[in-house]
Amino acid sequence: LRRSNLLDRPNERSLHAVPVPRGGGAAAVGAILLAWFVLFLLGEAAAASLIILLGALFLGLVSAIDDWRGLPPAPRLLAQAAAVAAGLFALALERAIPTAPLFLALHGVLWLWFVNLFNFMDGIDGLAASEAAAVAFGLFLLLGAASSLLAAAIAGAALGFLIWNWAPARIFLGDVGSIPLGYLLGFLLIDLAQRGEWQVALILPLYFLADASLTLARRLLRGERVWRAHREHFYQQAVRGGLAHADVVKRVLLADLLLILCAYAAERGWGALALALAALVVALLIAALALAL
């Protein structure tokens, strides 16, 4: 990446001080896709996972072009929509989910938003990789046997990448990493929701959902061009307020561990209480980040 000059250079919207190679997510995503393919060949993963694998590979290739050359928002969004549509088709075949247009459109929009918000939240050292590991670990604990192996592959690859991405980061995921990661996690979360565990699927990634959604809403209300890079997420505010990257990520990881406990409680039938506690955990985290505590 250095020889190819594929570097993320500091600018007024970034939070790093020296050029850092970006695109290392290709290694993490490549490891995940290889693991999923092997699981499929061994009969340990459903046919739907093969379609998702191809969708993630397609998004990785498009995102690699974006990292290398830069792409306008429209073709990126079209590629993501195509991959999401293929994923919903796979779920419809595998689990006989409802095929009503409104149902599919709603799930498609939610999945598409998750893909993009995961990319938006990849803005400081170690944050996206640690979140991927935490959410995937929660899924590993709570999913059925076959799907838990798919989640384990994501957790393992994310932890391996985190060694290189922990502050001070020696390499960044790039879109080639964050976009497919959001897509793969989104598939497992939607699949979990279709099994009747929608509360668990909501709780596990709740911090990323809340931070990205609240930030988007604030920017929309101010009439800003929301597709442009910025430094207004709560985790970015914390770094700008004086917290080190690692300190922010440690706070998020602590919240993620509590969210996994909340998700476990929801799975055990304590859905309403678990959701309330999860919302409280995320609200306290966002307040702490906003105040740089």
Side-chain angles (χ1 to χ4, degrees):
L1 291 173
R2 287 191 182 279
R3 285 196 297 269
S4 301
N5 200 35
L6 193 57
L7 303 175
D8 202 330
R9 301 184 184 279
N11 56 51
E12 68 278 4
R13 289 191 171 96
S14 62
L15 292 169
H16 58 287
V18 297
V20 177
R22 74 173 183 273
V29 172
I32 295 168
L33 298 186
L34 177 61
W36 281 36
F37 185 62
V38 171
L39 290 170
F40 172 76
L41 292 178
L42 293 175
E44 298 292 340
S49 64
L50 181 60
I51 297 177
I52 302 302
L53 186 156
L54 294 173
L57 179 61
F58 170 65
L59 287 181
L61 293 173
V62 172
S63 300
I65 296 171
D66 188 31
D67 282 333
W68 184 265
R69 300 285 185 181
L71 288 174
R76 297 201 309 263
L77 195 60
L78 284 173
Q80 294 163 16
V84 165
L88 290 173
F89 174 74
L91 279 174
L93 289 178
E94 192 68 39
R95 298 191 54 78
I97 65 172
T99 55
L102 183 60
F103 178 90
L104 292 177
L106 175 61
H107 282 72
V109 169
L110 289 174
W111 194 351
L112 193 60
W113 172 229
F114 189 81
V115 171
N116 282 279
L117 76 83
F118 200 88
N119 184 38
F120 296 159
M121 296 293 288
D122 180 27
I124 62 172
D125 299 351
L127 182 61
S130 60
E131 178 74 5
V135 173
F137 180 68
L139 289 167
F140 169 72
L141 293 176
L142 301 172
L143 281 172
S147 295
S148 69
L149 293 176
L150 302 178
I154 297 177
L159 287 172
F161 183 78
L162 193 57
I163 295 171
W164 305 90
N165 188 233
W166 190 261
R170 287 172 281 173
I171 195 168
F172 290 161
L173 279 171
D175 285 0
V176 70
S178 60
I179 294 292
L181 271 177
Y183 178 73
L184 294 169
L185 287 170
F187 162 68
L188 292 178
L189 291 168
I190 286 180
D191 187 41
L192 182 62
Q194 289 308 308
R195 298 170 188 264
E197 300 286 351
W198 66 269
Q199 293 164 323
V200 175
L202 177 62
I203 289 171
L204 286 174
L206 189 56
Y207 165 63
F208 264 36
L209 287 170
D211 192 324
S213 299
L214 289 172
T215 302
L216 176 69
R218 285 185 298 141
R219 298 189 70 212
L220 282 171
L221 289 173
R222 291 199 295 264
E224 298 179 11
R225 298 179 180 180
V226 295
W227 58 87
R228 290 192 171 179
H230 62 89
R231 301 195 304 173
E232 297 184 26
H233 287 288
F234 292 100
Y235 72 89
Q236 292 170 322
Q237 292 181 36
V239 173
R240 290 163 54 199
L243 286 180
H245 291 221
D247 291 334
V248 173
V249 175
K250 288 175 183 176
R251 285 160 172 75
V252 174
L253 279 173
L254 175 59
D256 283 338
L257 291 175
L258 295 175
L259 290 177
I260 291 173
L261 293 176
C262 291
Y264 178 79
E267 187 198 33
R268 294 294 175 176
W270 297 82
L273 178 60
L275 280 171
L277 290 175
L280 178 61
V281 167
V282 171
L284 291 174
L285 173 61
I286 285 177
L289 295 178
L291 298 172
L293 296 177

